[in-house]
Amino acid sequence: MNSSPHKLPFQTLLAVALLLLTNYASVEVQGFSLHNTRSFSRRVKRSFRYEVDNAGSSRLWDSNSAEAGTTSDDSVSTISVRFPTSVEDQVRMAAVALEAASNNNSDQGVPQQRRHAMRLLLPVIGATELDDWPGGARQMMEAAAPMVTQMMLTWYKNQGKEIEAMEESVIDESDGVRAIFIRAKEDPKDDAVVVLLPSGDTFNTLESLEAQVGSKRNMILINCQWKRPSDFPTKQSAEFVTRFAPTFHCSNLMVEGDQIRILRTFPGEWRVFLMVTDDAKQIDWIEIGTTPMVEPSANNIIRDGTLFNYGQPNYQEIETMITSRDEYVPKSAMERAAAAFTFIKDTL
């Protein structure tokens, strides 16, 4: 029996701390946990299909449109608004979004895009009891590099193009920021550059790379590390990165004790998914709301001390989506704390 009645168990103290945390901030976690996950496809409200025929012409279909057809051609890539159910599925969806954004669809009202920002939900590797990523950005890069390599191989294959060489180089020794230089086999215009986990400190290098890439080639930033204007040396550098629009985004956070994921695939909206569990402990992700994609302008790049985020839903908007559901039942303080504890424990 404990002779000190004023001491609380460690789990209780941690739960209280987590409760305070989830009351005032979202908790973002990189880990991709997909055990017992069912496909979201049966809940699809709207989807787009991006078609490339044998002649190389393309068209972006709205699947709800009367003229949307089907085809069995192997060159057809599909953009579906379903939720990705594995790391591999996420990579495929990112490749298709990249294909859609980088091709010229101006005749369908979809502008061509050569500068891309992509956020991948990384599989957790080497986690400890205290930290998902004890090795920091360098460890995240070890998780991101295989996904990015596969994404680029898939992207080129979907377009019927071949890669002659992929070369990796460290462009920032302090953080170990890497760039992957891709040389296409036939047309130099199909070359591309991918930068993994760039930070505000790498701005000068990014600006130099972007100038070398030119307007006809693709440049892709993966899991950018900046979050606020102070992460950049100047306002101009913060404005520079808005050239890289979110072609694909998949992130994980917790709001009011609920696990949430945010998904955006070009050219769609920001979509918010809530994790639910049935009686058999099977996990599902249901869509609870959307926010429109917002384009940058001179007036909104930096506002109220925050960086422009292309309309990505914030904590308060997601909280409203959760509480406005017909099935919503408010969680008690202890339920929110327990959910927070489980959420963090399961991602380690």
Side-chain angles (χ1 to χ4, degrees):
M1 184 174 180
N2 192 343
S3 60
S4 179
H6 299 293
K7 289 186 178 180
L8 295 175
F10 171 76
Q11 291 86 348
T12 302
L13 292 173
L14 180 58
V16 171
L18 291 170
L19 174 59
L20 293 174
L21 181 64
T22 55
N23 275 338
Y24 297 103
S26 60
V27 181
E28 185 170 352
V29 177
Q30 292 277 352
F32 207 111
S33 177
L34 289 163
H35 53 281
N36 297 328
T37 302
R38 290 198 299 259
S39 171
F40 179 80
S41 57
R42 67 183 185 281
R43 301 181 188 273
V44 166
K45 296 179 180 178
R46 185 178 182 85
S47 63
F48 293 91
R49 188 173 70 257
Y50 182 72
E51 297 186 355
V52 184
D53 62 24
N54 292 327
S57 62
S58 60
R59 183 169 188 181
L60 187 68
W61 292 99
D62 179 344
S63 294
N64 290 338
S65 169
E67 64 178 344
T70 59
T71 176
S72 59
D73 194 288
D74 289 339
S75 64
V76 173
S77 299
T78 300
I79 295 179
S80 173
V81 293
R82 64 179 175 78
F83 188 81
T85 56
S86 68
V87 172
E88 293 76 16
D89 197 20
Q90 182 187 192
V91 166
R92 285 191 294 268
M93 291 181 71
V96 172
L98 185 59
E99 181 186 358
S102 59
N103 279 275
N104 189 352
N105 298 284
S106 57
D107 60 329
Q108 301 150 46
V110 182
Q112 188 179 40
Q113 186 176 316
R114 294 297 190 196
R115 299 293 180 264
H116 314 271
M118 308 185 80
R119 180 157 296 277
L120 303 173
L121 198 54
L122 304 180
V124 176
I125 59 173
T128 69
E129 293 183 358
L130 299 177
D131 192 352
D132 276 3
W133 302 101
R138 291 176 183 270
Q139 186 181 357
M140 291 182 189
M141 265 178 265
E142 294 301 324
M147 295 177 66
V148 171
T149 299
Q150 187 57 51
M151 179 186 74
M152 299 306 290
L153 290 170
T154 303
W155 176 43
Y156 275 85
K157 181 180 178 181
N158 286 350
Q159 300 176 92
K161 300 173 182 177
E162 294 185 44
I163 294 176
E164 185 173 58
M166 295 180 70
E167 300 175 0
E168 189 174 295
S169 175
V170 176
I171 62 173
D172 186 299
E173 291 290 349
S174 59
D175 289 331
V177 176
R178 302 180 194 173
I180 300 175
F181 299 88
I182 301 170
R183 189 165 66 250
K185 188 172 184 178
E186 297 180 358
D187 193 339
K189 293 198 301 295
D190 294 327
D191 294 352
V193 176
V194 187
V195 181
L196 279 64
L197 280 76
S199 67
D201 294 333
T202 59
F203 163 71
N204 290 334
T205 304
L206 290 178
E207 190 176 39
S208 176
L209 271 177
E210 201 259 352
Q212 295 175 51
V213 169
S215 61
K216 295 183 179 181
R217 297 184 181 91
N218 288 279
M219 182 171 177
I220 305 151
L221 306 184
I222 303 291
N223 289 28
C224 302
Q225 296 298 290
W226 48 75
K227 295 183 178 180
R228 57 190 68 85
S230 59
D231 291 334
F232 295 93
T234 64
K235 179 181 178 182
Q236 287 70 29
S237 57
E239 293 174 349
F240 166 79
V241 299
T242 61
R243 300 179 189 179
F244 297 83
T247 300
F248 179 86
H249 178 108
C250 186
S251 62
N252 195 25
L253 68 157
M254 191 157 116
V255 178
E256 286 297 303
D258 285 308
Q259 292 194 37
I260 296 293
R261 283 187 179 161
I262 301 173
L263 179 69
R264 197 258 167 175
T265 60
F266 181 94
E269 297 180 306
W270 296 95
R271 304 172 59 241
V272 178
F273 294 84
L274 169 72
M275 192 188 82
V276 295
T277 308
D278 62 18
D279 294 338
K281 303 300 182 183
Q282 292 289 312
I283 293 173
D284 201 1
W285 295 90
I286 62 172
E287 183 179 358
I288 60 172
T290 63
T291 58
M293 173 75 173
V294 178
E295 296 296 333
S297 69
N299 298 324
N300 65 9
I301 291 178
I302 296 178
R303 180 180 294 175
D304 299 327
T306 61
L307 284 175
F308 178 69
N309 68 354
Y310 291 88
Q312 180 179 335
N314 59 35
Y315 185 92
Q316 289 73 26
E317 290 171 327
I318 296 173
E319 184 180 17
T320 299
M321 294 176 190
I322 294 172
T323 57
S324 61
R325 296 176 63 235
D326 292 338
E327 302 88 347
Y328 173 69
V329 177
K331 287 183 171 64
S332 68
M334 289 307 298
E335 285 175 328
R336 292 201 304 273
F341 180 77
T342 301
F343 176 72
I344 294 176
K345 176 177 65 66
D346 286 348
T347 58
L348 294 178

